[in-house]
Amino acid sequence: MTAPNRNVLWADALVDELVAAGVDAVVASPGSRSTPLTVAAAGHEELTVFSQLDERSAAYFALGRARRTGRVTPLICTSGTAAANYHPAVMEADNARVPLLALTADRPPELRDSGANQTADQEKLYGDAVRFYKDLPEPAANDRALRSLRTTVARAVAAAEGADQGPVHLNVPFKKPLEPTPVPGDVPDDLPEAAERGRDGPYVDVTRGAPEPGDDELRALATELSEADRGLIVAGPADPPGIDPEAVTALAHATGFPVLADPLSGLRYGGHTRVAPVIGGYDAYLSADLAGDGDEGAGSDGWADPDLVVRLGASPTSKRLRKYLAGTGADQYQVDPAGRWREAEFAATDLVVAEPSRLCARLSRLVAGGSGDPDWRAQWEDADRVAEAVHAREADAVGEDGPDATAVETDAGFHEGDALRAVADALPDPATLFVSNSMPVRDLDRFVGPTTANVTALGNRGVSGIDGIVSSALGAGSGTTDDLTLVVGDLALYHDSNGLLAVDRCDVDVTVVAVNNDGGGIFHKLPIEEFEPPFTESFKTPHGLDFGSLAELHGLEHVRIDARPDAHADRGDTPAERADVVGEDLAAAVSRAHEATGSHLIEVDTDAEASHRTRERLAAAVDAAVHGGAAGEADE
């Protein structure tokens, strides 16, 4: 026997089963009670161990890596508050369906509820957020106990990565000694080899299946799609590992339905957009007021409504899209592999329990004659083209057959949406782009349309917090060879600034673009903006921070771009010309960062209120160009 004591034997068996189940990396935070697990992970030649000092950052790092790879990256922490710091990431993993496995070390059972130091109630710590939980027994050096342990680990990984993927929790108690100290007689010499060494492969080999309708149900659904004159495929943020673009493209071609692709759907960017009718500008020209009554199929300005909608993924980022769909009265088929509800407007008419990619592929082979209304697809493509022209300040690009181009407001200055456009234009191909919540993901949604570039856009839209954004991005970067870019607001960067430790400790290069508007810019979108006080001090919360010192602390090259309205008064005759200058400066800075070695922090100083007012003017301009003024910002 090689194990010096039962704790080492137990931890080695647990880690061995993780590797057998396909795990290739873990994230460990320093601590005493977790020593057996950390030592076992560090000693396994097939594992990469990412060391994170802060458990909250560690959990988000593991979540980001799993979001990018689709595979679980287990977490190891000590007892007490360390495990509690995983909770925000567990909540995100639950709602966003990201595989996560928390291995929380614990004191032995007799010390619980005893006042012993660093002892807390860790049983079912994360409540109903986890897909699987087990409080493991104390380590034991016998055949049955080890077989039970290996079986439990296999079940835990399978639950994390199953059809209803998400977080799982194993609580792992240990008595001393925690180090690999020899304890004579602790491990018997006659343990069966299968218990100590496991089997050839996983101890329990889990064969995963994909839920799908039966043949009769599938044909009935295909008939509904075939008979629809005006259909839509709406793809919200995708569950990892994503939706197959080829399968969705095939369904779009078979039905004639446009694909309204959220920026986090995995469908807005990529080579498939050359042949698929991918629509990305909808947030600029849809609203609840635009929808018709569902019978005549058109709103007041003649905009045709859908009569059938296929919904894939999570709820879309765009509130305007969600409200519009709810107001159309169309039949909405919500596709979900776990059979759970993900449609907060409660307008969906059907829940289809199926794996989305396989369902789209099968339906594309069954749909017959689904060409639909020939003007339907043109309506969406024309509107997208007009919205792009307005956002790019190209009044003459609206087209001779479109509305009066003079109605388009094009002389808008630089705003935060332009920052997302500049970053997107400068990304290498391929690239991984992680965007923060609050305004960055909304600006990506509205202002960065479909491209053929191979961009994987990610974000934390499960519970949509601003915590852990930096760590999630760096975790995603650790799971790919793509260049990594993070676009983050100033408050989210401040909130997770210690996540930048992973740049050096985990050897992840990143280009961080920090949109610094000195506070919570998103609150300018809410009615509270009109109330002063308490708006400035209690909601916008200006901080006056300079992130150059943060970049220096973590060894990032720092560049500042002043994008506030009066910063470039001498570099153009109009606000639009000056906006072009700022956008070119930012794009050049992003390009230089990706061409150079190491990590970079590009700080873009903006004015939150000015940016929001510009968004409003552009929204009115798109409204005028597409609808003649029918839609607006009232539902924001």
Side-chain angles (χ1 to χ4, degrees):
M1 304 298 297
T2 57
N5 61 54
R6 65 182 60 197
N7 285 345
V8 172
L9 177 71
W10 195 254
D12 282 348
L14 190 157
V15 169
D16 184 58
E17 277 305 312
L18 290 176
V19 174
V23 170
D24 62 0
V26 300
V27 183
S29 298
S32 175
R33 191 59 53 172
S34 54
T35 296
L37 293 172
T38 301
V39 170
H44 204 294
E45 61 183 14
E46 296 182 46
L47 273 183
T48 298
V49 179
F50 294 104
S51 175
Q52 287 272 32
L53 302 184
D54 171 31
E55 285 84 6
R56 189 182 70 173
S57 289
Y60 276 107
F61 186 95
L63 180 136
R65 183 178 172 88
R67 193 182 289 280
R68 184 64 180 86
T69 64
R71 299 301 307 274
V72 69
T73 300
L75 292 155
I76 296 173
C77 76
T78 191
S79 60
T81 59
N85 279 284
Y86 285 168
H87 208 153
V90 170
M91 293 170 64
E92 174 66 24
D94 173 27
N95 283 272
R97 297 191 185 167
V98 179
L100 195 72
L101 169 53
L103 297 168
T104 58
D106 201 356
R107 294 298 186 94
E110 66 267 18
L111 292 182
R112 298 173 186 172
D113 195 28
S114 70
N117 182 51
Q118 202 172 321
T119 303
D121 183 1
Q122 297 177 200
E123 290 196 59
K124 299 186 177 180
L125 179 62
Y126 310 118
D128 293 336
V130 295
R131 307 292 188 267
F132 177 83
Y133 166 79
K134 190 162 186 179
D135 186 31
L136 294 179
E138 292 183 72
N142 66 70
D143 181 23
R144 182 171 181 174
L146 287 165
R147 286 189 283 114
S148 171
L149 172 66
R150 290 181 179 276
T151 300
T152 298
V153 173
R155 291 174 59 199
V157 174
E161 298 179 349
D164 187 18
Q165 62 189 13
V168 298
H169 177 202
L170 297 180
N171 196 51
V172 193
F174 290 107
K175 290 181 178 178
K176 292 183 177 181
L178 303 171
E179 301 74 24
T181 303
V183 178
D186 208 28
V187 178
D189 294 331
D190 59 350
L191 268 180
E193 185 174 350
E196 183 188 6
R197 301 297 180 195
R199 294 170 174 160
D200 184 13
Y203 200 75
V204 178
D205 204 340
V206 178
T207 301
R208 296 181 179 88
E212 56 184 313
D215 291 342
D216 290 345
E217 291 81 5
L218 193 71
R219 281 192 290 270
L221 180 55
T223 298
E224 294 291 331
L225 270 60
S226 299
E227 295 175 351
D229 289 326
R230 300 180 306 277
L232 288 176
I233 300 171
V234 176
D239 303 331
I243 301 172
D244 180 10
E246 292 187 6
V248 178
T249 298
L251 183 60
H253 282 226
T255 58
F257 295 178
V259 181
L260 275 59
D262 189 276
L264 307 182
S265 67
L267 299 175
R268 187 179 289 194
Y269 314 115
H272 64 281
T273 61
R274 292 186 179 92
V275 295
V278 176
I279 304 298
Y282 49 79
D283 189 66
Y285 51 79
L286 293 181
S287 75
D289 295 337
L290 183 63
D293 61 10
D295 295 325
E296 298 178 2
S300 59
D301 72 332
W303 178 270
D305 287 339
D307 46 32
L308 186 146
V309 181
V310 178
R311 300 276 297 268
L312 309 175
S315 182
T317 299
S318 171
K319 180 179 179 181
R320 290 161 67 92
L321 172 57
R322 300 193 305 266
K323 294 294 185 182
Y324 166 76
L325 291 175
T328 64
D331 291 337
Q332 294 192 46
Y333 290 82
Q334 179 73 43
V335 180
D336 190 86
R340 296 169 70 186
W341 194 259
R342 305 174 91 177
E343 203 278 290
E345 297 300 328
F346 307 105
T349 56
D350 295 78
L351 178 62
V352 182
V353 182
E355 195 284 316
S357 297
R358 181 166 173 77
L359 178 71
C360 289
R362 293 184 68 196
L363 283 173
S364 69
R365 295 189 288 268
L366 293 175
V367 171
S371 58
D373 183 345
D375 295 328
W376 173 244
R377 174 171 163 175
Q379 169 184 272
W380 291 93
E381 292 178 331
D382 289 347
D384 242 36
R385 179 173 52 81
V386 169
E388 170 59 25
V390 174
H391 294 155
R393 304 169 178 83
E394 298 172 355
D396 58 347
V398 173
E400 296 179 359
D401 298 329
D404 184 359
T406 60
V408 180
E409 168 63 64
T410 58
D411 200 23
F414 187 90
H415 61 98
E416 290 165 2
D418 284 331
L420 271 296
R421 290 172 64 88
V423 170
D425 287 343
L427 290 176
D429 189 353
T432 292
L433 173 65
F434 206 100
V435 287
S436 179
N437 287 312
S438 294
M439 290 313 303
V441 69
R442 289 173 169 84
D443 284 336
L444 182 70
D445 191 17
R446 177 172 292 192
F447 295 106
V448 182
T451 69
T452 59
N454 184 14
V455 175
T456 301
L458 304 172
N460 286 344
R461 296 299 292 170
V463 285
S464 300
I466 64 167
D467 44 349
I469 298 295
V470 175
S471 298
S472 297
L474 292 172
S478 76
T480 179
T481 58
D482 292 356
D483 278 39
L484 172 66
T485 299
L486 164 64
V487 180
V488 63
D490 50 323
L491 292 186
L493 177 57
Y494 169 76
H495 204 280
D496 193 26
S497 59
N498 60 344
L500 288 173
L501 280 170
V503 169
D504 182 56
R505 292 184 66 85
C506 301
D507 193 24
V508 182
D509 286 341
V510 62
T511 297
V512 180
V513 179
V515 180
N516 186 356
N517 56 30
D518 195 24
I522 194 172
F523 292 106
H524 284 287
K525 292 170 63 68
L526 302 179
I528 193 63
E529 181 194 31
E530 300 177 8
F531 296 86
E532 191 68 73
F535 175 71
T536 298
E537 292 304 317
S538 297
F539 291 88
K540 188 177 186 301
T541 58
H543 49 73
L545 292 176
D546 177 350
F547 291 102
S549 56
L550 179 66
E552 182 179 4
L553 175 65
H554 293 284
L556 280 66
E557 294 293 326
H558 179 253
V559 173
R560 174 175 284 105
I561 295 176
D562 194 339
R564 289 171 293 187
D566 298 330
H568 297 276
D570 59 342
R571 298 181 68 186
D573 295 331
T574 67
E577 291 176 355
R578 294 192 287 274
D580 287 341
V581 170
V582 177
E584 291 168 1
D585 289 348
L586 176 54
V590 173
S591 294
R592 286 194 299 270
H594 284 292
E595 292 167 359
T597 58
S599 293
H600 303 258
L601 173 58
I602 302 170
E603 187 174 352
V604 185
D605 293 334
T606 66
D607 183 298
E609 183 176 6
S611 283
H612 187 55
R613 299 287 89 84
T614 300
R615 291 187 191 95
E616 291 175 334
R617 291 197 300 274
L618 289 172
V622 174
D623 170 24
V626 176
H627 306 294
E633 291 283 297
D635 59 334
E636 286 285 356

